[in-house]
Amino acid sequence: MQHKTKIETVFETCLWKFRLFTLLSVILGLLSTLNFFVIGSFEVL
């Protein structure tokens, strides 16, 4: 088994936590796109 340094462990932990921030950004982007689509549809109708 490979021995990890402290820097590697901290870096991997930060990357693992950053994925939640990225996922939240993607979900909010999808919701805002859907919102603009609905508003645009009502404006056309």
Side-chain angles (χ1 to χ4, degrees), residues 10-28:
V10 169
F11 182 69
E12 287 178 1
T13 303
C14 289
L15 280 179
W16 188 247
K17 289 182 180 177
F18 187 71
R19 75 176 168 41
L20 297 175
F21 178 73
T22 306
L23 186 63
L24 180 66
S25 301
V26 169
I27 290 173
L28 290 177

Side-chain angles (χ1 to χ4, degrees), residues 2 4 9 14 23 26-28 30 32 35 37 39 42:
Q2 227 176 355
K4 288 186 177 181
T9 306
C14 289
L23 186 63
V26 169
I27 290 173
L28 290 177
L30 287 173
S32 106
N35 186 25
F37 181 75
I39 290 172
F42 280 131

